[in-house]
């Protein structure tokens, strides 16, 4: 599970990092994470990398594999 969390986090960093200079209006959902603790750990990594985040919250989505803990992140330069 830890490997999956790492892969998701790296993929998201590449996604957000490849879009150029973003503004505070460019928010992207990051997740899903299976537990609140996993979400918080990833969120702290995003904050350390210079992203602004909204905090973790559980989202129940259309498919079970989509449901989990998410946070929104934006890079402010």
């Amino acid at each position: 599970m830890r490997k999956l969390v790492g892969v998701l986090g790296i993929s998201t960093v590449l996604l957000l990092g490849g879009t150029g200079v973003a503004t505070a209006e460019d928010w992207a959902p990051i997740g899903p994470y299976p537990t609140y603790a996993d979400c918080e750990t990833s969120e702290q990594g995003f904050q350390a990398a210079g992203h602004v985040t909204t905090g973790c919250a559980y989202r129940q989505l259309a498919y079970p594999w989509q449901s989990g803990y998410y946070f929104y992140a934006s890079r402010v330069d």
Side-chain angles (χ1 to χ4, degrees):
M1 185 59 63
R2 181 172 283 192
K3 185 176 179 181
L4 175 62
V5 170
V7 170
L8 289 173
I10 290 169
S11 299
T12 306
V13 168
L14 292 175
L15 173 72
L16 291 175
T19 60
V21 176
T23 66
E25 297 154 357
D26 297 328
W27 293 93
I30 312 299
Y33 294 95
T35 67
Y36 186 81
D38 289 338
C39 183
E40 274 192 323
T41 300
S42 181
E43 182 184 21
Q44 289 171 358
F46 272 78
Q47 290 172 351
H51 296 272
V52 175
T53 61
T54 60
C56 295
Y58 190 83
R59 293 178 61 193
Q60 183 76 36
L61 299 175
Y63 300 102
W65 55 269
Q66 292 176 318
S67 297
Y69 290 92
Y70 287 82
F71 65 90
Y72 284 84
S74 178
R75 182 163 186 96
V76 178
D77 288 333

